[in-house]
Amino acid sequence: MASDHSPSDGAADYPVADIAAAWQRERPGTPVSSIGIVTPLWRLAKLLGDDRRRVLARAGVDTATLDLLSVLRRAGEPYTLTTRELSARSMITAGAISQRVARAEREGLVTRRSGRGRRRSVLVELTPAGHQLVESTVDQVLTREAELLTGLDPEQQNQLAELLRVLLQDVQRQLNDHRLTHVGELD
């Protein structure tokens, strides 16, 4: 099966317009306006996700663990939340939080204890090792992601951030789905 472009013609680096034109040619009347937005978003999500996983692998942490530690760190001192709060702030299921907490506890990054006054309440607290890991890793991740955005000036970054916020909120509303997960991750 032949591709639309040879690898050396330059268009293969950004074939979005060609994809839309091919669909219009092959299926006149097919709505193609979304291709110029959705296709680059999917490609960017894949590239950014892969790059983040490489940064985290070098730091010795996976995305799920960093997410857990980050939620605890952003909570402020004493860096303690219930599993219910963790689930809500991470926007993942209670079962997924339970697995993340168990793994992080085995690695000495968090501790778990029963909540006061509520028999089934479980408190999760960031340990000094977890605190150190999240501090160094977040800087690495955010510095790398800032580097990847230097193709846009600050004004363009702000404009894009606002447009993406509007688009995300509207798509979430249309789909009645307000969860946020990592790209390709299912709850």
Side-chain angles (χ1 to χ4, degrees), residues 77-96:
E77 288 192 51
Y79 312 118
T80 304
L81 293 170
T82 66
T83 52
R84 182 179 302 243
E85 290 169 322
L86 281 168
S87 180
R89 291 181 188 194
S90 297
M91 295 180 242
I92 60 173
T93 65

Side-chain angles (χ1 to χ4, degrees), residues 55-56 59-61 66 132-142:
V55 170
L56 294 178
V61 65
L66 180 62
Q132 181 197 19
L133 180 61
V134 75
E135 291 293 305
S136 66
T137 305
V138 164
D139 285 347
Q140 291 175 49
V141 169
L142 295 180

